[in-house]
Amino acid sequence: DDNYEGAASGTLVILDVRSGLENWRFEQFGSYENTGDAADSADPDHDGIQNLMEFALGLDPELPSTLPATLVINGGQMEYTYTRSKAALGEVTFTVERSDSLSLPDWTAADVTELAPPLADNGITQTVKVTLPASVGRRFIRLRVTAQP
């Protein structure tokens, strides 16, 4: 129009409102939904590792895997080392727990210390070591992964 003159500029920002876990589900299963083979509790490759744990540890949920973890006794300490996905850090909580009986109320994270910084970080995964006191008798260790709300 001859009566008006001007210019404008700006930036259009498109935010992905889906979580990293939802995007992972879509990449792996073609669905964002927590259902069927894409469900957090599903194990489509039948390796005994549920999808939420596969996401957290950076494993392929459609290929059988083993947990990327080791346990070493070093004097009076146990050293549990595992590898986790950096993409999962804001999505899940990692908790190493111990029990001397395997009874549900006996699992605790008391006296379990994560060493900082991680032992290794390649930009995709981190290798983390936690220490805890060794036991005179039996001691069981587990890595618990829970989705953050």
Side-chain angles (χ1 to χ4, degrees):
D1 188 329
D2 292 338
N3 295 327
Y4 300 98
E5 192 175 304
S9 66
T11 303
L12 173 63
V13 178
I14 300 173
L15 300 175
D16 187 352
V17 296
R18 300 207 186 263
S19 71
L21 178 55
E22 289 171 319
N23 287 327
W24 178 84
R25 279 190 206 115
F26 187 79
E27 290 170 10
Q28 300 298 324
F29 302 105
S31 172
Y32 295 109
E33 303 303 317
N34 186 8
T35 59
D37 278 351
D40 290 351
S41 60
D43 181 17
D45 59 6
H46 307 288
D47 62 0
I49 304 171
Q50 294 180 349
N51 282 341
L52 184 62
M53 184 68 79
E54 300 248 19
F55 165 71
L57 301 180
L59 303 174
D60 187 331
E62 297 185 292
L63 294 174
S65 306
T66 58
L67 292 176
T70 61
L71 179 65
V72 174
I73 297 177
N74 188 0
Q77 293 276 67
M78 298 177 90
E79 298 175 347
Y80 181 75
T81 305
Y82 69 97
T83 301
R84 64 187 179 196
S85 167
K86 287 185 71 172
L89 289 178
E91 305 278 332
V92 301
T93 302
F94 295 88
T95 308
V96 176
E97 297 176 322
R98 65 178 176 83
S99 173
D100 293 337
S101 71
L102 288 179
S103 176
L104 191 57
D106 291 342
W107 286 100
T108 179
D111 301 322
V112 177
T113 305
E114 183 176 313
L115 303 180
L119 298 177
D121 185 331
N122 66 11
I124 298 171
T125 60
Q126 291 179 333
T127 301
V128 179
K129 182 186 284 189
V130 298
T131 61
L132 58 146
S135 175
V136 176
R138 289 184 275 185
R139 173 132 308 159
F140 303 94
I141 311 296
R142 74 177 178 187
L143 174 62
R144 189 164 51 95
V145 171
T146 52
Q148 294 180 3

